[in-house]
Coordinates of all heavy atoms in Angstrom, one line a residue:
E1 N -10.2 -1.7 7.3 CA -9.3 -0.8 6.6 C -8.2 -1.5 5.9 O -7.8 -1.2 4.7 CB -8.7 0.1 7.7 CG -9.5 1.1 8.4 CD -10.4 0.4 9.5 OE1 -10.2 -0.7 9.9 OE2 -11.3 1.1 9.9
A2 N -7.6 -2.6 6.4 CA -6.6 -3.3 5.8 C -7.3 -4.2 4.7 O -6.6 -4.3 3.6 CB -6.1 -4.4 6.8
E3 N -8.5 -4.5 4.6 CA -9.2 -5.3 3.6 C -9.4 -4.3 2.5 O -9.2 -4.7 1.3 CB -10.4 -5.8 4.1 CG -11.2 -6.7 3.0 CD -12.4 -7.5 3.5 OE1 -12.9 -7.0 4.5 OE2 -12.8 -8.4 2.9
A4 N -9.8 -3.1 2.7 CA -9.9 -2.1 1.7 C -8.6 -1.8 0.9 O -8.6 -1.6 -0.3 CB -10.6 -0.8 2.4
A5 N -7.6 -1.6 1.7 CA -6.2 -1.5 1.1 C -5.9 -2.6 0.2 O -5.3 -2.3 -1.0 CB -5.2 -1.3 2.2
W6 N -6.1 -3.8 0.6 CA -5.9 -5.0 -0.2 C -6.7 -5.0 -1.5 O -6.1 -5.2 -2.6 CB -6.1 -6.2 0.6 CG -6.1 -7.5 -0.1 CD1 -5.0 -8.0 -0.9 CD2 -7.1 -8.4 -0.4 NE1 -5.3 -9.2 -1.4 CE2 -6.8 -9.5 -1.2 CE3 -8.5 -8.4 0.0 CZ2 -7.5 -10.6 -1.6 CZ3 -9.3 -9.5 -0.4 CH2 -8.8 -10.5 -1.2
K7 N -7.9 -4.7 -1.4 CA -8.8 -4.7 -2.7 C -8.3 -3.5 -3.7 O -8.5 -3.6 -4.8 CB -10.2 -4.4 -2.1 CG -10.8 -5.6 -1.5 CD -12.3 -5.5 -1.1 CE -12.8 -6.8 -0.5 NZ -14.3 -6.6 -0.1
E8 N -7.9 -2.4 -3.0 CA -7.4 -1.4 -3.8 C -6.1 -1.8 -4.5 O -5.9 -1.5 -5.8 CB -7.0 -0.2 -3.1 CG -6.6 1.1 -3.8 CD -7.5 1.7 -4.8 OE1 -8.8 1.6 -4.6 OE2 -7.1 2.2 -5.7
W9 N -5.2 -2.5 -3.9 CA -3.9 -3.1 -4.5 C -4.3 -4.1 -5.6 O -3.6 -4.1 -6.6 CB -3.1 -3.7 -3.4 CG -1.9 -4.3 -3.9 CD1 -0.6 -3.8 -4.2 CD2 -1.7 -5.8 -4.2 NE1 0.2 -4.7 -4.7 CE2 -0.5 -5.9 -4.7 CE3 -2.6 -6.8 -4.0 CZ2 0.1 -7.1 -5.1 CZ3 -2.2 -8.1 -4.4 CH2 -0.8 -8.3 -5.0
L10 N -5.3 -4.8 -5.5 CA -5.7 -5.8 -6.3 C -6.0 -5.3 -7.7 O -5.9 -5.9 -8.8 CB -6.9 -6.6 -5.9 CG -6.6 -7.6 -4.8 CD1 -8.0 -8.3 -4.4 CD2 -5.7 -8.8 -5.3
K11 N -6.4 -4.0 -7.8 CA -6.7 -3.4 -9.1 C -5.5 -3.4 -10.1 O -5.7 -3.6 -11.3 CB -7.1 -1.9 -8.9 CG -8.5 -1.9 -8.1 CD -8.9 -0.4 -8.0 CE -10.3 -0.2 -7.1 NZ -10.5 1.1 -7.0
E12 N -4.3 -3.3 -9.6 CA -3.1 -3.4 -10.4 C -2.3 -4.6 -9.9 O -1.5 -5.1 -10.8 CB -2.3 -2.1 -10.4 CG -3.0 -1.0 -10.9 CD -2.1 0.3 -10.9 OE1 -0.9 0.2 -10.6 OE2 -2.6 1.3 -11.4
S13 N -2.4 -5.1 -8.7 CA -1.6 -6.1 -8.2 C -0.1 -5.9 -8.5 O 0.7 -6.9 -8.9 CB -2.0 -7.5 -8.8 OG -3.3 -7.7 -8.5
K14 N 0.4 -4.8 -8.2 CA 1.9 -4.5 -8.5 C 2.6 -4.6 -7.2 O 2.2 -4.0 -6.2 CB 2.0 -3.1 -9.1 CG 3.4 -2.7 -9.3 CD 3.6 -1.3 -10.0 CE 5.0 -0.9 -10.1 NZ 5.2 0.5 -10.6
Y15 N 3.5 -5.5 -7.1 CA 4.2 -5.8 -5.9 C 5.5 -5.0 -5.9 O 6.3 -5.2 -6.6 CB 4.5 -7.2 -5.7 CG 5.3 -7.6 -4.4 CD1 4.6 -7.3 -3.3 CD2 6.6 -8.0 -4.4 CE1 5.3 -7.6 -2.0 CE2 7.2 -8.3 -3.3 CZ 6.5 -8.0 -2.0 OH 7.2 -8.2 -0.8
D16 N 5.7 -4.1 -4.9 CA 6.9 -3.3 -4.6 C 7.4 -3.5 -3.2 O 6.7 -3.0 -2.4 CB 6.6 -1.8 -4.9 CG 7.8 -0.9 -4.9 OD1 8.8 -1.4 -4.5 OD2 7.7 0.2 -5.3
P17 N 8.5 -4.2 -3.0 CA 9.0 -4.4 -1.7 C 9.3 -3.3 -0.9 O 9.6 -3.2 0.2 CB 10.0 -5.5 -1.9 CG 10.6 -5.2 -3.3 CD 9.3 -4.8 -4.1
M18 N 9.5 -2.1 -1.7 CA 10.1 -0.9 -1.1 C 8.9 0.0 -0.4 O 9.0 0.4 0.8 CB 10.8 0.0 -2.1 CG 11.4 1.2 -1.4 SD 12.6 1.0 -0.1 CE 13.0 2.6 0.3
T19 N 7.9 0.1 -1.0 CA 6.7 0.9 -0.6 C 5.5 0.6 -1.2 O 5.4 0.0 -2.3 CB 7.1 2.4 -0.9 OG1 6.1 3.2 -0.4 CG2 7.3 2.7 -2.4
I20 N 4.4 0.9 -0.5 CA 3.1 0.6 -1.0 C 2.4 2.1 -1.2 O 1.9 2.6 -0.2 CB 2.2 -0.3 -0.1 CG1 2.8 -1.6 0.2 CG2 0.9 -0.4 -0.5 CD1 3.0 -2.4 -1.0
P21 N 2.6 2.6 -2.3 CA 2.1 3.9 -2.6 C 0.6 4.2 -2.2 O -0.3 3.3 -2.6 CB 2.3 4.2 -4.0 CG 3.2 3.1 -4.5 CD 3.0 1.9 -3.6
D22 N 0.3 5.2 -1.7 CA -1.1 5.7 -1.5 C -1.9 4.9 -0.5 O -3.0 5.2 -0.2 CB -1.9 5.8 -2.8 CG -1.2 6.8 -3.7 OD1 -0.6 7.8 -3.3 OD2 -1.2 6.4 -4.9
L23 N -1.3 3.8 0.0 CA -2.1 2.9 0.9 C -1.7 3.1 2.4 O -2.5 2.7 3.2 CB -2.0 1.5 0.4 CG -2.5 1.1 -1.0 CD1 -2.2 -0.3 -1.2 CD2 -3.9 1.5 -1.0
L24 N -0.6 3.8 2.7 CA -0.3 3.9 3.9 C -0.2 5.4 4.3 O 0.8 5.9 5.0 CB 1.2 3.3 4.1 CG 1.2 1.8 3.9 CD1 2.6 1.3 4.2 CD2 0.2 1.1 4.8
Q25 N -1.1 6.2 3.8 CA -1.1 7.6 3.9 C -1.3 8.0 5.4 O -1.9 7.3 6.2 CB -2.2 8.3 3.1 CG -2.0 7.9 1.8 CD -2.0 9.0 0.8 OE1 -2.2 10.3 1.2 NE2 -1.4 8.9 -0.3
G26 N -0.6 9.2 5.8 CA -0.8 9.6 7.1 C 0.2 9.1 8.2 O 0.4 9.6 9.3
K27 N 1.1 8.2 7.6 CA 2.3 7.9 8.5 C 3.3 9.0 8.6 O 3.4 9.8 7.7 CB 2.9 6.6 7.9 CG 1.8 5.4 8.0 CD 2.5 4.1 7.8 CE 2.3 3.2 9.0 NZ 3.1 2.0 8.8
E28 N 4.1 8.9 9.6 CA 5.1 9.9 9.6 C 6.2 9.7 8.6 O 6.4 8.5 8.1 CB 6.0 9.7 11.0 CG 5.1 10.1 12.2 CD 5.8 10.0 13.5 OE1 7.0 10.0 13.5 OE2 5.2 10.1 14.6
P29 N 7.0 10.7 8.1 CA 8.1 10.5 7.3 C 9.0 9.3 7.6 O 9.4 9.3 8.8 CB 8.7 11.9 7.2 CG 7.6 12.9 7.7 CD 6.8 12.1 8.8
G30 N 9.3 8.6 6.6 CA 10.2 7.5 6.9 C 9.4 6.2 7.4 O 10.1 5.2 7.5
Q31 N 8.2 6.3 7.4 CA 7.4 5.1 7.8 C 6.5 4.6 6.6 O 5.7 3.8 6.9 CB 6.6 5.5 9.1 CG 7.5 5.3 10.3 CD 6.6 4.7 11.5 OE1 5.6 5.4 12.0 NE2 6.9 3.6 12.0
Q32 N 6.7 5.2 5.5 CA 5.9 4.8 4.5 C 6.3 3.4 3.8 O 5.7 2.9 3.0 CB 5.9 5.8 3.4 CG 7.0 6.1 2.5 CD 8.1 6.9 3.2 OE1 8.0 7.2 4.4 NE2 9.1 7.4 2.5
H33 N 7.5 3.0 4.3 CA 8.1 1.8 3.7 C 7.2 0.6 4.0 O 6.6 0.5 5.1 CB 9.5 1.5 4.1 CG 10.4 2.8 3.8 ND1 10.5 3.1 2.5 CD2 11.1 3.5 4.5 CE1 11.4 4.2 2.4 NE2 11.7 4.4 3.7

């Protein structure tokens, strides 16, 4: 699962220290950071 998220991120390789959009879905509000 973590490897798949990394490979998805590699498509744009955009680093955002605040949040990783769409890769941490399903977490409680406030835990998407």
